[in-house]
Amino acid sequence: MSAQDFLVELGTEELPPKALKSLGDAFLAGIEQGLKAAGLGYAKAQVFAAPRRLAVLVEQLATQQPDRSVNLDGPPIQAAFDAEGKPTQAALGFARKCGVDLEQIDKSGPKLKFSQSIPGQPAAGLLPDIVETSLAGLPIPKRMRWAARREEFVRPTQWLVMLFGEEVVDCVILAQKAGRESRGHRFHNPDNIRISKPSTYLEDLRSAHVLADFAERREIIAKRVAELAAEQKGTAVVPADLLDEVTALVEWPVPLVCSFEERFLEVPQEALITTMQDNQKYFCLLDANGKLLPRFITVANVVSKDPAQIISGNEKVVRPRLTDAEFFFKQDKKQKLESFNERLKNVVFQAQLGTVFEKAERVSRLAGFVAEQIGADPVRAARAGILAKCDLATEMVGEFPEMQGIAGYYYAKNDGEAEDVAQALNEQYMPRGAGAELPQTLTGAAVAVADKLDTLVGIFGIGMLPTGSKDPFALRRQALGVLRILIEKQLDLDLASAIAFAIDLYGDKVKAEGLADQVLEFVFDRLRARYEDEGVDVAVYLSVRALQPSSALDFDQRVQAVQAFRKLPEAAALAAANKRVSNLLSKADGAVPASIDSALLQEAAEQALAKAVADAELALAAAGSYRETLERLASLREPVDSFFEAVLVNAEDAAVRGNRYALLAKLRGLFLGVADISVLG
């Protein structure tokens, strides 16, 4: 079957830069889906996205659909016709479904059948609908209309190129009649550009100062920015999202180095970087020590005869932004950080839970409690807690919300607070996302855990539980943050007691009955997904959960031990034996004796098991970890197997029977020191 290249390019007014990449990817996906649904084979498809165009190039697209046959089974003959031989509604409905009269339906078999051979259609006639369907399915939150037209799209359309081979596909899409005329760079080559055939598309536009390939523009920008930064003896800060956005803003990227006055470096560099990145789309430069240089890189969309004019213009534009940041910083420093708590007395944290200042007071006391448990200084943790929310009332954070915590660090340092207290004001928000950085100081860890537990207890305490789609206070993220801090920083905190302390701090603002168990269960439920992501079987998690340890670190150590135990050759048999023991004990008549009477051990197998259990108890006393404990218990497999093969647990003699139950209870107790491994069986 013959094949030709296919090109579609939709020209528009400047597309939203943050959405350009996703629009291009969705356009390509829609066209590929349409081609596959139509049965049109092709070798390769590629998307091109630039500020004023979305394009897809399909290489070696089949010119014709293959012929296909349709075979449909209908209702049984007895259901298709009544006793008089007249067609029923089932038969008539099947004919309608097939689009033919009943006479054309095959009635020779036990069921009605319809077979039809459908000749393939030319691809050129199918392509307009495929393109139109793909465009209609683009992820556009809000479409717009322009002039008097009824058509809607993310931006007004300006031209349409559709070529199949060297021929134009005759159609009109989004008010644009297809042709072969594209447009070049808005300033360098504003005239129409003739696309001779799909395979020359990129080069035809390149000659008109348009780099249509998003990936190529991105690579050029990244490479040139790195080179310019090196020339300035620095490295560029290039967030992936910012690089994508800048790539989407230009058709012919020309990075240029600009500068600002060194006096602005007295302002926290995070504020300067934030305003330059978010508001101006600049790449900032850092020196070898990670300090901000008084330089930045802008990416122009033109090759200027006088680049100094562009540089000067950008420097002029950024100066007021940096001046604002400088002003806010100086204003805030005119008063002590702690004094901003007065403003927070009038700021509501949550209507039923009081003000942000009241939250800070609770966090302070809870942070001191946590600090004592994890080996931190409770006085400094409490101090950091009372300062934790102060910067929310500052001018700096009011203008740059991203500076919360960071601004507090600088203001605390300015006030002469201890280094770990200042760091804790930023670290309280860590981790800020999945896999993000954790607090470095113990003081910061104490405040971060306290802040998150306070929110969890408060919101649960007023019944605002997260649902599948709604979690306005990010309680799942808060719980995961607590777990990550405690486990990854190896901090042994009894969460049950910390949650109980947090509940007491709220007093009558929360409904305390059952609240501690509810919050604790919610927190440990988050571990299940964490372990599944790490490849830990859910049964391992459940075996530990059955014991309900209240320390996240202890929980994790048990899980890791059971995960390692499962790989031992004895694991499966011991898990099955534990399950059997658990079932037997649950059905025991009366109380199980607390100790084993050696005089009642009649069988050699039960005597051997009793000795093995006693030896294991002595060995476990010297075990240094849960993993070592389970490794030593693995040696019990042989005496356990022999016991169940040779010994009847439910002996007729009540004393012997009770003694055997006591032996099994002792055996099960050894394993329950780590986990309920019967869950693994």
Side-chain angles (χ1 to χ4, degrees), residues 258-521:
C258 309
S259 62
F260 57 85
E261 292 95 323
E262 290 195 23
R263 67 182 174 88
F264 290 123
L265 295 178
E266 295 178 10
V267 179
Q269 68 181 46
E270 292 87 351
L272 304 182
I273 291 172
T274 295
T275 190
M276 286 192 281
Q277 286 181 349
D278 295 354
N279 298 304
Q280 308 305 138
K281 315 306 174 189
Y282 295 151
F283 298 106
C284 302
L285 304 185
L286 305 179
D287 65 16
N289 298 316
K291 299 299 182 182
L292 186 66
L293 290 170
R295 305 278 187 278
F296 61 90
I297 296 174
T298 185
V299 181
N301 191 31
V302 294
V303 181
S304 175
K305 295 178 181 177
D306 187 7
Q309 294 292 331
I310 297 177
I311 293 171
S312 174
N314 281 277
E315 292 174 348
K316 184 178 180 181
V317 166
V318 79
R319 191 172 295 114
R321 305 292 309 183
L322 302 185
T323 301
D324 286 348
E326 180 185 45
F327 173 77
F328 297 137
F329 184 56
K330 288 182 175 179
Q331 284 294 108
D332 290 337
K333 287 198 300 180
K334 289 180 179 178
Q335 59 189 100
K336 292 284 188 180
L337 178 62
E338 189 171 7
S339 68
F340 286 99
N341 267 329
E342 287 300 314
R343 297 185 188 179
L344 296 179
K345 291 178 181 178
N346 299 314
V347 179
V348 174
F349 163 56
Q350 200 283 334
Q352 295 170 253
L353 300 178
T355 66
V356 176
F357 175 68
E358 289 172 318
K359 178 177 176 62
E361 289 185 309
R362 290 193 305 272
V363 169
S364 175
R365 294 180 62 188
L366 183 54
F369 175 87
V370 171
E372 279 192 280
Q373 311 302 311
I374 65 173
D377 185 323
V379 174
R380 292 214 291 268
R383 178 61 180 166
I386 202 66
L387 297 176
K389 306 303 175 185
C390 289
D391 69 352
L392 297 179
T394 64
E395 300 290 338
M396 177 70 82
V397 174
E399 179 68 15
F400 305 108
E402 304 87 349
M403 288 292 291
Q404 67 177 14
I406 300 170
Y409 166 78
Y410 285 101
Y411 296 146
K413 288 285 289 178
N414 184 68
D415 291 348
E417 300 285 351
E419 177 64 27
D420 61 338
V421 170
Q423 285 190 41
L425 304 190
N426 183 33
E427 292 175 341
Q428 65 175 307
Y429 298 107
M430 295 179 179
R432 286 184 163 90
E437 182 184 4
L438 295 176
Q440 295 299 304
T441 67
L442 283 176
T443 302
V447 177
V449 169
D451 183 40
K452 293 167 177 56
L453 288 181
D454 176 79
T455 300
L456 284 162
V457 166
I459 302 304
F460 267 86
I462 58 173
M464 292 181 63
L465 280 63
T467 63
S469 58
K470 292 183 179 180
D471 187 8
F473 286 88
L475 299 184
R476 294 184 183 90
R477 183 163 59 82
Q478 305 268 21
L480 280 169
V482 169
L483 293 169
R484 277 198 62 205
I485 292 169
L486 297 178
I487 292 172
E488 295 178 33
K489 292 187 70 66
Q490 300 281 293
L491 303 176
D492 193 11
L493 173 69
D494 181 4
L495 279 171
S497 62
I499 289 170
F501 191 87
I503 293 172
D504 288 343
L505 293 175
Y506 268 106
D508 59 3
K509 288 183 178 179
V510 297
K511 185 179 179 182
E513 185 180 353
L515 179 56
D517 290 340
Q518 189 181 31
V519 174
L520 197 63
E521 183 177 0

Side-chain angles (χ1 to χ4, degrees), residues 150-176:
R150 298 185 62 82
E151 294 83 5
E152 295 182 345
F153 196 55
V154 62
R155 292 290 185 269
T157 59
Q158 296 294 341
W159 72 90
L160 176 66
V161 175
M162 278 186 66
L163 298 177
F164 192 30
E166 297 186 12
E167 300 298 320
V168 173
V169 178
D170 186 21
C171 65
V172 176
I173 296 175
L174 291 175
Q176 301 300 326

Side-chain angles (χ1 to χ4, degrees), residues 210-260:
V210 174
L211 297 177
D213 188 341
F214 188 96
E216 181 184 4
R217 294 198 313 280
R218 194 179 194 275
E219 184 179 351
I220 287 172
I221 293 170
K223 182 179 178 182
R224 185 58 182 147
V225 165
E227 290 172 350
L228 291 173
E231 290 174 10
Q232 300 298 318
K233 296 181 173 54
T235 56
V237 181
V238 186
D241 289 347
L242 178 61
L243 181 56
D244 283 344
E245 189 174 357
V246 172
T247 301
L249 284 166
V250 294
E251 292 181 319
W252 196 261
V254 182
L256 299 168
V257 177
C258 309
S259 62
F260 57 85

